[in-house]
Amino acid sequence: PVITVLAARYTPNAVTVPSGQPVKLTFKGQGNTGCTSVVRIPKLQVLKTLTPNGTDVVTATFPKPGKYT
């Protein structure tokens, strides 16, 4: 999935992905970002600082169904 990164939100703000398989999440920055400039998924130990006005890919495996925030 492609996620657009804006100053105060991600669009879409939720995505559905299969569990148990590696997934590539593509983040495309647009304009100045504040708190959205870092992607954190604590349950998966993901922490990625995004490139301003750039494209970044985060690969993660979600081990079981559920919400990861």
Side-chain angles (χ1 to χ4, degrees):
V2 176
I3 301 162
T4 301
V5 182
L6 303 169
R9 69 181 192 275
Y10 300 103
T11 302
N13 65 354
V15 294
T16 301
V17 298
S19 61
Q21 300 175 32
V23 175
K24 289 184 180 183
L25 303 171
T26 302
F27 293 87
K28 291 192 172 199
Q30 290 187 351
N32 294 326
T33 57
C35 61
T36 59
S37 65
V38 176
V39 172
R40 290 178 6 121
I41 309 172
K43 289 183 181 179
L44 302 179
Q45 299 177 341
V46 170
L47 179 64
K48 173 77 174 172
T49 300
L50 302 176
T51 307
N53 292 310
T55 300
D56 294 279
V57 176
V58 173
T59 302
T61 300
F62 298 82
K64 51 187 170 178
K67 287 188 177 185
Y68 292 82
T69 58

